[in-house]
Amino acid sequence: MSAPPPARGRLLTPVLGVLAALVVAGLVILVAARLGERDATSEVDGGTHTVPRTEIARTISGQLTLPFRHGPDAVRCFGDLRPVPAAAVRCTAHFPLGRDRHLTVEVTRVQHNKVTYRRRPAPH
């Protein structure tokens, strides 16, 4: 007759399973936090009195970049952002793998020459 497996081996498998589940849950939370709606603040350009589309694109590109995955190849915004609450501009983020993400960037607050804006998925 063979001896029963040691008790330590039977306990190790569930513990590893729980640890793996916690790691996966942590990654999901990290991705959701990085890709969810986030505010950004930029200064108004003195000449155009807007937030330039290139500044918005740079900010969005940084927000969509994850620590373990490259961000978009390019972000293109279709206009400058006026410093008026609720003013909006459409942007598209192109990823090397996967589909493009269409976003709306909307002004949430204007204070002196600073404009705070938030990105969200564009309605279809």
Side-chain angles (χ1 to χ4, degrees):
M1 269 192 210
S2 62
R8 190 178 80 190
R10 286 185 280 168
L11 291 176
L12 187 57
T13 302
V15 169
L16 289 176
V18 168
L19 286 175
L22 289 173
V23 168
V24 169
L27 288 174
V28 167
I29 290 169
L30 174 67
V31 168
R34 286 292 289 190
L35 297 180
E37 294 179 352
R38 293 186 36 203
D39 287 346
T41 301
S42 296
E43 287 189 21
V44 173
D45 180 86
T48 64
H49 302 292
T50 62
V51 177
R53 68 186 82 197
T54 54
E55 169 68 11
I56 299 165
R58 183 190 62 75
T59 301
I60 290 173
S61 182
Q63 288 180 346
L64 295 175
T65 300
L66 298 173
F68 52 86
R69 178 181 162 225
H70 293 290
D73 281 345
V75 175
R76 181 172 180 219
C77 294
F78 304 95
D80 298 334
L81 193 57
R82 295 180 303 119
V84 176
V89 66
R90 295 270 185 132
C91 299
T92 300
H94 174 72
F95 290 88
L97 300 173
R99 300 171 61 156
D100 289 351
R101 287 186 65 188
H102 302 285
L103 307 163
T104 299
V105 176
E106 184 176 351
V107 174
T108 58
R109 189 175 80 207
V110 178
Q111 190 172 19
H112 305 294
N113 69 333
K114 305 264 187 196
V115 176
T116 301
Y117 48 93
R118 174 175 289 170
R119 66 177 164 77
R120 56 184 166 75
H124 291 51

